[in-house]
Amino acid sequence: MDIKKKYAYNFSYTDCTPRPGAERRVSYETTYNMDIKKKYAYNIGTMFVDKFKEDKTLGPLGKRLEKAKSARFLTIEVAFPYTWSIEEWEKQLYSYPLYIELINTPMGSNKEPGFASTEGGKEQFLEGIEQGIRYCKALKCHRLHIMAGLAATGNESTFVDNLQKASELLENEGIIGLVEVISGGVIPGYFLDNFPRAIELLKKIGKENIKLQFDTFHLNCLGYSTEEIIQLMDENASSIGYIQVAQTPNRTEITSPGGVDYEKLFQHISGSPTLSYLTIGLEFKWESAPDYLQLTSFLSKF
């Protein structure tokens, strides 16, 4: 994001396959401050979590997207869009044109965190991939976080086989599959709770369209310092397809004090010829009252 540059986006023509009704918005243009090299995706599931407490899903979709638009967001991420139908998403995105960078595969009926590693769970895994693909296509989202499942019911060979199959299905649709290391404090017993193991499994999968969702919050929770996180980024830059950030220990805004030096981290990302072109997902909760001016001021430095 660069406060010195402004780009006007015409939502009717930016996308080669406009959303329904786009032809009626031919004159709709708006100006956002952003650096063409870098995008920030605002997580509408965490950033507005206190705004609609009466609805524990994410709040009414229209209100949430309206809030994102009023905060001058252009790009968003949403972990689980499945609370709403594809038709509802298309209707709301017509009113609040926003670009979606990332969604997750759905959780199981018993809140299982995915089935990619689950022995005997291939049917549920493929159903989740197919549902994720349907939503990605409808929302014009090109990244799908494939949730790995629990270690107690998972094994490595199942995980590798399932991700190789998912790679084929996603490649046909031009979608990048992502896997993420998640700390035990967030999902106890998650299959991918170890960074070296995740890198080794990515090598075994061996597919160009299966990448790492590099989450600095989880890595710091696992004991990695800012300097070590930067080193991991550099060593595995070609394997990273997306970055997510939040401050530890309570997933607060990146401008708040905590375990990660985001000034140093963002400065490093900005100077990297590989990392600087990756989308950065802002997956945090406001510690107090939202301060978008402070956030914009911080991001504009990089």
Side-chain angles (χ1 to χ4, degrees):
M1 218 158 150
D2 189 337
I3 204 72
K4 295 178 292 185
K5 294 179 188 155
K6 291 187 178 180
Y7 300 94
Y9 286 78
N10 187 306
F11 287 97
S12 301
Y13 298 119
T14 303
D15 197 327
C16 293
T17 54
R19 298 186 180 96
E23 67 280 356
R24 291 157 53 194
R25 297 201 306 275
V26 292
S27 63
Y28 183 90
E29 289 188 336
T30 188
T31 301
Y32 290 83
N33 295 314
M34 69 182 297
D35 186 332
I36 202 69
K37 295 189 299 182
K38 195 188 298 110
K39 284 194 227 174
Y40 297 98
Y42 300 80
N43 190 301
I44 64 168
T46 59
M47 294 185 80
F48 305 136
V49 72
D50 294 327
K51 295 297 180 184
F52 307 110
K53 287 184 177 178
E54 74 280 2
D55 186 335
K56 292 183 180 179
T57 55
L58 284 181
L61 178 59
K63 288 185 179 180
R64 191 165 293 279
L65 296 182
E66 181 181 16
K67 189 70 181 175
K69 198 69 190 304
S70 66
R72 299 184 68 78
F73 296 173
L74 176 65
T75 307
I76 62 173
E77 61 174 34
V78 53
F80 301 107
Y82 314 103
T83 303
W84 305 283
S85 68
I86 286 174
E87 292 73 22
E88 179 66 13
W89 270 106
E90 290 177 336
K91 174 185 174 183
Q92 296 297 340
L93 287 173
Y94 165 67
S95 301
Y96 308 103
L98 295 160
Y99 288 87
I100 300 176
E101 286 288 322
L102 173 73
I103 66 172
N104 292 357
T105 52
M107 299 185 82
S109 57
N110 295 315
K111 302 301 181 185
E112 300 95 334
F115 296 95
S117 70
T118 306
E119 193 170 4
K122 194 175 187 82
E123 183 178 349
Q124 296 101 313
F125 171 74
L126 290 176
E127 286 176 357
I129 291 293
E130 289 165 0
Q131 187 176 13
I133 288 174
R134 286 196 298 274
Y135 270 75
C136 278
K137 289 173 66 177
L139 305 183
K140 298 180 175 60
C141 173
H142 298 287
R143 292 181 185 85
L144 179 65
H145 170 209
I146 302 170
M147 299 198 72
L150 295 172
T153 56
N155 64 62
E156 291 189 359
S157 61
T158 298
F159 183 76
V160 171
D161 290 345
N162 280 339
L163 266 293
Q164 289 175 338
K165 176 60 178 177
S167 170
E168 297 173 10
L169 298 173
L170 296 172
E171 186 175 23
N172 294 334
E173 306 297 343
I175 299 169
I176 298 294
L178 299 169
V179 296
E180 180 183 19
V181 175
I182 297 179
S183 56
V186 177
I187 303 181
Y190 193 66
F191 179 77
L192 278 184
D193 63 354
N194 179 289
F195 189 86
R197 184 189 192 194
I199 294 300
E200 186 60 34
L201 288 172
L202 277 175
K203 291 177 181 177
K204 290 182 179 180
I205 294 164
K207 299 293 184 180
E208 284 295 318
N209 67 331
I210 303 296
K211 299 280 188 180
L212 182 67
Q213 185 169 316
F214 191 97
D215 192 307
T216 59
F217 169 81
H218 288 299
L219 290 175
N220 189 238
C221 287
L222 290 169
Y224 292 95
S225 66
T226 301
E227 292 73 18
E228 289 168 330
I229 289 171
I230 288 172
Q231 183 178 352
L232 291 178
M233 276 185 162
D234 288 343
E235 291 173 348
N236 301 283
S238 62
S239 298
I240 300 174
Y242 194 82
I243 298 171
Q244 279 184 320
V245 297
Q247 188 58 279
T248 58
N250 298 316
R251 198 184 281 283
T252 48
E253 63 267 30
I254 55 177
T255 52
S256 64
V260 182
D261 182 347
Y262 278 108
E263 180 106 23
K264 185 173 186 177
L265 184 73
F266 275 43
Q267 192 68 51
H268 182 80
I269 292 172
S270 182
S272 168
T274 304
L275 300 171
S276 62
Y277 286 87
L278 292 172
T279 299
I280 299 176
L282 306 177
E283 192 188 21
F284 60 74
K285 299 177 291 186
W286 292 103
E287 190 170 28
S288 53
D291 190 340
Y292 299 109
L293 183 60
Q294 182 191 31
L295 178 63
T296 300
S297 177
F298 177 78
L299 294 176
S300 69
K301 295 189 291 185
F302 310 103

